[in-house]
Amino acid sequence: MYVILTSKPGQFRTELGEGMRRIEAYDYVFCGRPRAQFVIAQIDGESKVKIIDEASPLAVNLVPSKFLPRFDSLEKARRELQSLVRYGGIDMSLQRI
């Protein structure tokens, strides 16, 4: 199974939990500026994702992975990310990092 984790610099970031392995990462670029980072992670079993709120005051939350959308294959997770950059003629892209 695969999940997609999102981080927005200056707002919040996500960190992999136990049983999770980073497969791919992408910068989401909107009108020439990076706005977010997405990580596709493989997940085995149940885990908790650490979400760190970078705004003041700093807060850390552990979210059970059961609340995350899951994808049966890496290709399905990639298609989900690609759906984010298909909106009219707006300048949006995913850049693999």
Side-chain angles (χ1 to χ4, degrees):
M1 297 299 264
Y2 297 87
V3 295
I4 299 172
L5 304 178
T6 306
S7 295
K8 289 189 176 185
Q11 295 179 29
F12 67 91
R13 71 179 186 277
T14 56
E15 295 181 359
L16 300 174
E18 282 188 40
M20 300 178 86
R21 182 173 60 96
R22 177 181 154 157
I23 303 297
E24 297 177 352
Y26 298 86
D27 279 334
Y28 174 72
V29 180
F30 181 81
C31 294
R33 294 179 49 200
R35 297 291 186 176
Q37 186 178 77
F38 296 106
V39 171
I40 298 176
Q42 187 172 24
I43 184 169
D44 296 316
E46 293 300 322
S47 182
K48 291 190 179 182
V49 176
K50 186 183 285 189
I51 301 175
I52 301 161
D53 185 357
E54 296 176 341
S56 185
L58 185 74
V60 177
N61 294 294
L62 295 174
V63 177
S65 61
K66 68 182 180 183
F67 294 114
L68 301 174
R70 293 179 185 225
F71 304 92
D72 294 335
S73 69
L74 180 56
E75 188 55 41
K76 287 181 181 178
R78 287 176 179 151
R79 278 197 304 263
E80 179 68 19
L81 282 180
Q82 286 299 321
S83 72
L84 296 174
V85 295
R86 291 187 197 127
Y87 186 78
I90 299 175
D91 179 20
M92 296 181 278
S93 66
L94 289 173
Q95 297 175 355
R96 193 165 177 179
I97 51 176

